[in-house]
Amino acid sequence: MREILPALSRWYEAGTVFGLATVVSVSRSAPRDPGAAMAVGPDDEVVGSVSGGCVEGAVFELAREVVESGEARLETFGYSDEDAFAVGLTCGGEITLLVRPVSRASDPGFAEVAAAVAGQRPVAVATVLGGPAPRGATLAVWPDRVSGTLGSSGLDAAVSADARGELAQGATGQRHYGPHGERREDDVTVFLQSFTPPPRMLVFGAIDFAAAVARIGGFLGYRVTVCDARPVFATPKRFPGEVEVVVDWPHRYLRGTVTDERTVICVLTHDPKFDVPLLEVALRTPAAYIGAMGSRRTHDDRLKQLRETGVGDAELARLRSPIGLDLGARTPEEVAVSIAAEIVALRWGGSGAALTDTAGAIHPPGTGPG
C-alpha cells in the first residue's frame, strides 16, 4: 500500500472514484501477504499488485465493476486445473481480496490516513469484510484518536482497542466481533491493517561496503542511517540521497538512538576502538539483528575484549560475525547481498540453504510471502 499511495492520493484529490483491491487473507503458498494492494484509477491506470501477475486481470475487471456499482466485493482466488492460468493462482495457494470503491464521499478520512502513512506516523485502518456491518466501511485508528465508523459505536470501540494493540506490534490480520463489538461472537469480520514507520537499519562505518549495504537496505524498506566518527568519510555525497548520514562516535550515537525489535545493526567499522564499545551497546539493545564485519581472527579478538567489558555469553550469542551468509561474495555489492540475505533469513527463520536442496513447503504458513 505504501508504494501506491502517491497515485491513490492523486486520484483522490482529483475527485476520482477508484477501485482498491486489498489482500485480506492468504493460505499455503500465496504470492503476497495480507495488506498487498492493487488499484484501478482513471483511464484504466493500474498501480500495485496482489498476486505477482496470476490474477491481476480478473482483479482489474472486479475493480472496474465495484466502481460502477458502488458496492464492495469479497472474492477468493485459488488454484484449479481448469482455469489456473486464466484467473487462478499458479503457485497453488489461495488469496482473498476485498475490492471496494474509494472516493471523497465514501472515504472522507482517506487523505488524512494517506498523509499519516506518507509522514511515517503510525495509523491502523479497520475495514469490514462481512456480516451485518456494511462491507467496505472503514475506521482509521491513531494512538490517540479515531476517524470514521464501522456502523455502531460498540463495534467502533472494540475494534479501536484491538487496532491499537495491532499497531503497537505492527501486525495486520482479521478479527471477529458481534454486531455491537461483542468479543465472543463472530458475526462481523474486520480486517485490521497497521501502517507503522519503516524499520531502521543502522550502518556503522562509512566505507564502500556501507554504501552498498545502505542501498540494499533502502531497497528492502529500511530507513537507513550511516554513522562514522570520521567526517572525511561520513559525507552525504557518498550515499544514496534518502540515507541519513551522521558524524559521531558510533557507540555514543547508538546509545542516544531509539531501537526496537525490528532494528538491524550492521557494524562495518572493522576497527577495535570503534567496534568494541559499539557492540557493547548494541548487544544490550532489543535489535533484531546485530552483525559485525571482520575475519574470524578479528571476531575472536572482539569476543575476548567484549567479555572483558562484562558482556555475557547470552548477549554474545546474538552477534552475527563474520557478518553475512557464505555466498563467496567479493565486491561491496556482493557482500551487501550476503548481509541482506542473512537479515531476511533471520527474520523469517530461513536456513540459508539452496531451495533445490530442501524439501517441503517453500514458505510455511505464517512465515511470509509466497
Side-chain angles (χ1 to χ4, degrees), residues 3-8 10-11 18-21 37-41 44-50 56:
E3 289 76 13
I4 68 175
L5 266 177
L8 304 191
R10 185 177 72 250
W11 298 341
F18 57 89
L20 177 62
M38 167 182 160
V40 178
D44 291 338
E45 182 181 354
V46 177
V47 293
S49 171
V50 292
E56 266 68 5

Side-chain angles (χ1 to χ4, degrees), residues 49-142:
S49 171
V50 292
S51 74
C54 298
V55 301
E56 266 68 5
V59 176
F60 172 80
E61 296 299 336
L62 276 172
R64 296 177 68 184
E65 289 172 14
V66 301
V67 168
E68 182 68 25
S69 68
E71 296 181 359
R73 291 174 59 176
L74 196 67
E75 298 285 344
T76 297
F77 295 91
Y79 181 85
S80 68
D81 292 334
E82 292 78 15
D83 59 4
F85 290 96
V87 295
L89 292 180
T90 56
C91 63
E94 184 176 276
I95 60 172
T96 299
L97 306 174
L98 175 70
V99 189
R100 65 186 184 92
V102 179
S103 67
R104 289 183 176 180
S106 64
D107 288 80
F110 180 86
E112 192 175 11
V113 170
V117 176
Q120 300 184 7
R121 299 185 298 276
V123 62
V125 177
T127 309
V128 174
L129 302 183
R135 176 174 288 163
T138 61
L139 177 73
V141 182
W142 285 265

